[in-house]
Every structure is written in C-alpha cells, then in structure tokens.
Amino acid sequence: MRQLGSWLGHAGVGFVRACVVAAVSMLVPAVWAAAVALGIWWGATNPWSWVAPLVLVCVGTLALSRPVCQMVRHLVVRWTGTVIPAGYREAGPVTRMSTGYWWNGYSYERTKHDALLDQKWRVRWRDPANWRDLRFTALVPFTAGVVACLPPAGVAAAILGLGHPDPAARAAGALGLVVAIATAPYAWRPVEPVAVRFLRATPAMELADRVDELTAQRADTTVAQAAEIRRIERDLHDGAQARLVALGLSLATAEKLMETDPDQAKALLREARTGAATSVTELRELVKGINPPVLNERGLVDAVRTLGMDSPLETTVTADLRLRLDPPIESAMYFGIAELLTNAIKHARATRARISIAEDGTAIVVHVEDDGRGGAGARTGGGLEGLRRRLAVFDGTLEITSPPGGPTRATMAVPCESL
C-alpha cells in the first residue's frame, strides 16, 4: 500500500511537470499554428494572405526564443539541480564624452536612453547565443515536448473516451489513462539532457566569455594595484614621512641649542627618539598591510592564527593544510579572511568566528562562519564583490550564505594543481 501511494505521488508530480514542460516547449509551435490559422482564414486566393502569418511567425519566434530558454533553464535547475549557464553577452558601460554625446561601445548618441537602447539591440543581435536559442526553440517541441505531451494527451483521451457510449471509444479512453499513468513519472525527464545538449555554450562562446572575463580581471587588477600604490603613498606622506621631517627639524634645533640650552636640547632629543620609534612602528604596520611578515615566514595557517588572535572576535582556527602555497594565492586567501572578519566585526556585530582551512585534493577551501545578524551579500562596489574578483584571478570562487538573523557562512575555494 505504501509503495502504491509513493507511485501515485511520483505520478502526480511527474504529471504536473510534464504539463509544464509541454506548455513551455509548445509556446512557439502555438504561434506557428496561429499563423497558419490566420492564413487559412484570410484565404489562399488573397495574394497578401501570407505576409501577416510570415511576420507573426518571425516576430513570435524571435520574441519567445529567449524567454522559453530561460524558463527551461529555470525548470532544469529547480527539478534536477543541473545548472546550465546562459552565456549571454553582457552590455558594457555607457559613458558621457566631453562633447556631451554618449558612447555605448558602438556609436555616439545624443542621450543616455538612446545610447542604452542602441547598445541593447546591437548586443542582442550580435550575440551568438541568439542562434543557439533559436535552434533549441525549434528542436525542443519535437524532442522533449512530444514526450511531455503524452500524459496530458492520455488524460484528455481518457476524459473523452470513458464517457462515450461506443465501446471502442471507451477502450481508447482506458488505454489513454494507462498511458498517462505509466508515463507521468518519466515524461518530463528528457528535457534535462536535451537542454544540456543544446542550451550549453559552444566552445567558441566559452572562449569568448573567458577572454572577456580575463580582460575584466586584468582591469580590476590594474585598478587594485593603482589604489594600493596610492594608499601606500598616502600612508607614507601622512605618517612616517611627516614624522621623519619633524625628527630632522628637532635634531637641527637640538644641534643649535646644544651650546646655549643643553636641557632644552636634551628634551628635543628625547622627543626625536620617541618620534623615531613611532615612525619605525608605522613603517612596520605599513609593511604588514602590504604583506604580513608572518605570512612570508610561516605560511597561511600560522598567519591566519595570528590574525585570529589579534581580532576582537573569539576566533577558532582549524587547519588541514600541510603544503606551502604560491605567495600570490596565500596573500589572496589571507586578505580574503581578513576582509570577512572585518565585515563580521563592523556590519554583523558578531562575537565569535570559526575559520576552517582544508584541501580537498584539487583546491584550497576556506570556510569562515560568524554568529552575527546575517544579511550579508555581494553588492556592486562592495568589499565582498571586490574579494570575489580578487579570487577570480586564480579561478577561485566565493559563496556567501547569510540569512537574516545569521549565521553567515562564507566559502572561498581556489584551485591548486600542486595538491
């Protein structure tokens, strides 16, 4: 009895999913059927009767191809967990020139609205993904769509046939009911392999996306390096340099007062010694901000443990890392952990944090969890988005899970061939 209930449950879920797949995959054929009906209604003798159906077919197919593909991707990832990247080209920024015109990467326009509209259609028309979507839209009705139509078609045949007085019709209705029940749990499943086969990006598209990604990463790296250089210059100018200038003035004044006022000269020398010690401390902090000495000397794990001890949070560090990594990777992971701890202190109002560093055979994986109030997310121009871009240089990833009320869990993973 329990197995029968489980089978009926699977059949019910499968029937609903098959109906959804059939409805989505048959949207474009429905437009084609409407165009054919319109041409028949106008009559074959009318020489213009083919124009409106042809326009309806072209416009309807082009307008529905991308929404249909997006719905199929959503259904596949929701039902099976298989993620099919869209691979659509992203529009670049629109900038205003000194002449007052707007440049969208293709042409100059008088207004920002015109520049965005022109850019949208140029990117859309030149995107190779459009032809992939059109191909899928034409193929899916005759593959996954036909199979998904079996359960609803069987139910329709059962409704029409079982109530008919003709025995042959009743037999056909019973057969339709059997077909609907038997195929319901499986009729929606072909949509996954068909979508994976025909909706995934081609090697040429993946290569183009990779080139765009590397170009963006190069730009981000250049901007980050320039910002870091400006920060170092500012810290040197406002901190150590100013103190060293004051130290030189104090020594010069003490030299002049050495003969006339030795006590005042000794006081100036004491102040100079204090200023020199402060300058050395500031220089050490500056060097530590560039690349912590403990990271160079003892590696990522000990550097993170030191970071946890210096943090106001109650931090626990567990590590299963036995190898030294390349310095750029260690630096990126270290400053990523520092960024996450800083966010936990400043924004999440956390009191405890747990850091786990491990290797899974192909990558270094770092988990950072805090007991803060949650709600964290990668926003444009924010620290987490910058961290994600910094890890992307090494093909790394950042995943954030932060429901309201907490806790916040962040996972950083960077591939490493030496493991």
Side-chain angles (χ1 to χ4, degrees):
M1 191 67 181
R2 182 177 299 176
Q3 293 180 350
L4 178 60
S6 177
W7 169 260
L8 292 177
H10 286 299
V13 173
F15 178 79
V16 173
R17 292 182 176 180
C19 291
V20 173
V21 172
V24 172
S25 59
M26 293 300 174
L27 280 176
V28 173
V31 174
W32 300 343
V36 172
L38 180 61
I40 294 174
W41 178 72
W42 263 354
T45 59
N46 188 346
W48 297 99
S49 62
W50 60 273
V51 176
L54 180 62
V55 172
L56 180 59
V57 167
C58 295
V59 174
T61 303
L62 289 173
L64 290 175
S65 61
R66 182 167 292 191
V68 167
C69 294
Q70 290 174 339
M71 285 188 286
V72 169
R73 289 190 191 92
H74 174 72
L75 295 176
V76 170
V77 71
R78 183 175 180 181
W79 292 343
T80 67
T82 302
V83 179
I84 305 175
Y88 298 120
R89 286 185 176 177
E90 298 292 337
V94 174
T95 56
R96 188 173 187 179
M97 312 303 293
S98 59
T99 58
Y101 284 80
W102 292 84
W103 172 251
N104 60 12
Y106 301 96
S107 63
Y108 295 96
E109 302 294 338
R110 290 184 176 273
T111 64
K112 184 178 182 181
H113 177 268
D114 292 341
L116 290 172
L117 186 63
D118 177 75
Q119 181 193 56
K120 173 185 175 182
W121 287 110
R122 285 178 184 267
V123 172
R124 184 83 175 265
W125 182 253
R126 297 182 181 185
D127 192 350
N130 289 330
W131 305 109
R132 177 200 61 196
D133 290 352
L134 288 173
R135 181 188 63 179
F136 177 80
T137 305
L139 290 175
V140 71
F142 307 103
T143 52
V146 171
V147 179
C149 287
L150 289 177
V155 170
I159 294 175
L160 296 176
L162 292 178
H164 200 279
D166 188 3
R170 288 198 297 271
L175 179 62
L177 183 61
V178 171
V179 170
I181 296 176
T183 60
Y186 314 104
W188 63 273
R189 295 185 181 276
V191 71
E192 180 190 5
V194 172
V196 171
R197 172 62 180 84
F198 294 104
L199 271 187
R200 63 184 179 184
T202 63
M205 295 169 61
E206 291 178 350
L207 180 60
D209 292 340
R210 183 59 175 165
V211 169
D212 293 340
E213 181 182 355
L214 292 176
T215 302
Q217 291 174 2
R218 182 182 63 183
D220 289 338
T221 302
T222 303
V223 172
Q225 288 176 345
E228 186 68 13
I229 291 173
R230 288 195 299 269
R231 182 187 71 83
I232 295 171
E233 291 176 346
R234 185 175 59 252
D235 291 345
L236 286 173
H237 182 273
D238 298 340
Q241 179 178 334
R243 292 187 181 277
L244 290 175
V245 171
L247 174 62
L249 294 175
S250 297
L251 291 175
T253 305
E255 183 180 6
K256 293 180 181 179
L257 294 176
M258 190 64 68
E259 299 294 338
T260 59
D261 192 352
D263 294 335
Q264 183 65 25
K266 292 179 181 179
L268 289 175
L269 290 175
R270 286 193 296 270
E271 292 178 2
R273 184 177 60 185
T274 303
T278 305
S279 298
V280 171
T281 302
E282 289 183 353
L283 288 173
R284 286 175 177 171
E285 291 296 327
L286 180 61
V287 172
K288 183 178 178 181
I290 298 172
N291 202 13
V294 67
L295 185 62
N296 292 330
E297 297 170 1
R298 306 189 62 179
L300 178 63
V301 175
D302 289 338
V304 172
R305 288 197 173 104
T306 303
L307 181 65
M309 288 188 291
D310 294 337
S311 173
L313 298 177
E314 183 183 337
T315 306
T316 304
V317 179
T318 58
D320 183 22
L321 183 62
R322 296 174 294 274
L323 299 176
R324 286 297 302 269
L325 307 175
D326 293 336
I329 296 179
E330 286 190 334
S331 179
M333 301 295 275
Y334 174 84
F335 285 108
I337 295 172
E339 176 74 23
L340 295 172
L341 290 180
T342 302
N343 289 343
I345 298 169
K346 291 175 58 178
H347 306 296
R349 300 177 184 176
T351 59
R352 292 189 302 274
R354 289 185 295 178
I355 303 172
S356 172
I357 306 174
E359 52 187 80
D360 65 356
T362 58
I364 302 299
V365 182
V366 175
H367 299 280
V368 180
E369 180 179 346
D370 65 69
D371 62 349
R373 58 184 179 180
R379 301 174 180 86
T380 303
L384 294 178
E385 182 63 25
L387 174 57
R388 180 167 289 165
R389 293 197 303 268
R390 189 186 310 158
L391 294 175
V393 175
F394 306 99
D395 288 334
T397 59
L398 171 66
E399 297 180 1
I400 302 291
T401 303
S402 182
T408 298
R409 298 182 180 90
T411 301
M412 297 184 295
V414 174
C416 187
E417 293 183 357
S418 61
L419 294 180

